[in-house]
């Protein structure tokens, strides 16, 4: 992750331990999203927290089993992880719980398929998501929730590009029914718009980027900057390509939203060409 202040608001899980899960199924749900459903293994020890719950995902190296991994990530355990030979070392990435179904004991994880540059290979996470099969093994470390508004919040503002769409979906599905607010989400194409569970007084605006060469987040930033924060206690949450949360936070502060009522997180960084 790039710049963020989620440490200031994060609600940690009561227990964070390494959970080994298996792929149940995969689905290309739209042109730019692959959904991988995980379950079995240690799924019974997973505690859903809702909102933007995220986790560390260990993806096995191609053709390799998962090696012994740490039960938590500290400076020491991460250093040990780095001593695993490159050919055997699992890829380590951060992902959000798109949905959890208690009856089925399974988790959906959505992977964004970015438009590749000519000659560029896909990253290890999206390559795995596109190739994995039922029964394949992964491991996760739960990291909790960063969406933690003050108790007096009357209105929420959510801004995201496609990489943070799963987090926005989780937040919207977890909000009380009487919540008021707005959510603006940028997606690469109209086919990537998703049906979301949303409180009746929260307005969702989809911003379709269209141009495959445009930097994600620029279009939704422009749309969000045209909307002044409402009066009263507001809580702002923004995530995506790192330029988006940095600029959105700056705009909100200039508009009078207190810093302590903003959570921002850069999920990734686009190559500047």
């Amino acid at each position: 992750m790039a710049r963020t202040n989620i440490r200031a608001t994060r609600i940690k899980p009561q227990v964070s331990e390494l959970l080994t899960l298996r792929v149940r199924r995969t689905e290309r749900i739209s042109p730019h999203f692959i959904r991988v459903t995980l379950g079995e293994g240690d799924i019974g020890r997973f505690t859903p927290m809702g909102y933007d719950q995220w986790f560390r995902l260990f993806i096995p190296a191609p053709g390799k089993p998962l090696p012994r991994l740490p039960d938590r990530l500290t400076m020491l355990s991460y250093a040990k992880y780095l001593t695993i030979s490159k050919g055997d070392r699992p890829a380590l990435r951060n992902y959000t719980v798109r949905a959890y179904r208690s009856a089925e004991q399974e988790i959906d994880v959505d992977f964004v398929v970015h438009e590749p540059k000519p000659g560029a290979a896909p990253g290890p996470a999206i390559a795995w998501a596109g190739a994995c099969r039922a029964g394949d093994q992964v491991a996760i470390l739960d990291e909790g929730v960063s969406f933690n508004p003050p108790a007096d919040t009357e209105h929420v503002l959510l801004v995201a590009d496609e990489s943070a769409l799963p987090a926005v979906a989780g937040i919207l599905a977890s909000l009380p029914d009487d919540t008021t607010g707005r959510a603006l989400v940028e997606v690469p194409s109209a086919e990537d718009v998703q049906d979301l569970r949303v409180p009746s007084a929260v307005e969702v605006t989809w911003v379709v980027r269209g141009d495959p060469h445009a930097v994600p987040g620029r279009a939704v930033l422009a749309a969000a900057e045209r909307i002044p924060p409402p009066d009263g206690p507001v809580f702002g949450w923004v995530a995506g390509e790192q330029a988006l949360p940095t600029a959105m936070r700056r705009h909100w502060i200039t508009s009078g939203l207190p810093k302590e009522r903003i959570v921002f997180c850069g999920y990734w960084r686009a190559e500047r060409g």
Side-chain angles (χ1 to χ4, degrees):
M1 290 186 181
R3 285 196 65 194
T4 180
N5 67 343
I6 63 172
R7 291 183 182 275
T9 63
R10 181 160 64 112
I11 303 173
K12 296 182 180 180
Q14 289 188 346
V15 177
S16 182
E17 58 180 339
L18 189 75
L19 303 180
T20 301
L21 308 176
R22 292 190 179 275
V23 174
R24 282 193 163 177
R25 59 187 175 277
T26 67
E27 181 184 3
R28 187 67 173 259
I29 61 173
S30 70
H32 296 91
F33 283 92
I34 296 174
R35 179 165 295 165
V36 178
T37 301
L38 304 174
E40 304 176 28
D42 298 324
I43 189 65
R45 300 210 303 271
F46 176 77
T47 301
M49 298 175 67
Y51 295 99
D52 57 342
Q53 185 173 10
W54 63 284
F55 55 87
R56 313 280 187 180
L57 175 65
F58 292 92
I59 299 170
K64 301 287 185 177
L66 278 174
R68 183 177 178 84
L69 294 167
D71 272 337
R72 62 184 60 197
L73 275 186
T74 62
M75 290 183 65
L76 179 59
S77 64
Y78 184 67
K80 289 183 177 180
Y81 159 79
L82 293 177
T83 65
I84 301 172
S85 65
K86 288 187 176 181
D88 296 327
R89 186 191 307 158
L92 175 58
R93 298 293 187 270
N94 299 329
Y95 277 91
T96 304
V97 176
R98 174 59 176 83
Y100 170 78
R101 289 176 293 279
S102 58
E104 293 83 0
Q105 290 280 281
E106 59 187 24
I107 297 169
D108 287 339
V109 187
D110 285 1
F111 294 77
V112 178
V113 182
H114 293 289
E115 297 288 348
K117 289 195 172 184
I126 193 60
W128 174 83
C132 67
R133 297 292 181 267
D136 288 356
Q137 200 173 52
V138 293
I140 68 171
L141 272 174
D142 186 15
E143 294 290 349
V145 172
S146 65
F147 184 86
N148 184 20
D152 66 343
T153 298
E154 296 178 357
H155 194 94
V156 298
L157 296 174
L158 310 175
V159 179
D161 68 10
E162 63 266 32
S163 67
L165 170 53
V168 170
I171 291 169
L172 291 172
S174 303
L175 288 171
D177 291 339
D178 61 351
T179 301
T180 64
R182 291 200 64 166
L184 293 90
V185 184
E186 180 179 326
V187 288
S189 71
E191 292 82 3
D192 295 307
V193 172
Q194 298 183 10
D195 290 329
L196 304 179
R197 178 185 172 189
V198 183
S200 59
V202 175
E203 179 183 351
V204 177
T205 299
W206 294 95
V207 179
V208 177
R209 186 162 60 249
D211 180 0
H213 305 293
V215 175
R218 300 286 178 83
V220 75
L221 173 64
E225 287 180 335
R226 293 193 291 268
I227 301 172
D231 296 330
V234 177
F235 183 72
W237 181 100
V238 54
E241 199 282 327
Q242 68 170 11
L244 169 61
T246 300
M248 194 71 245
R249 175 178 179 267
R250 184 184 306 118
H251 172 77
W252 276 339
I253 291 172
T254 301
S255 300
L257 194 57
K259 293 179 181 179
E260 62 271 17
R261 302 190 74 96
I262 299 170
V263 168
F264 70 105
C265 187
Y267 280 4
W268 64 291
R269 181 177 182 176
E271 292 184 17
R272 307 301 190 216

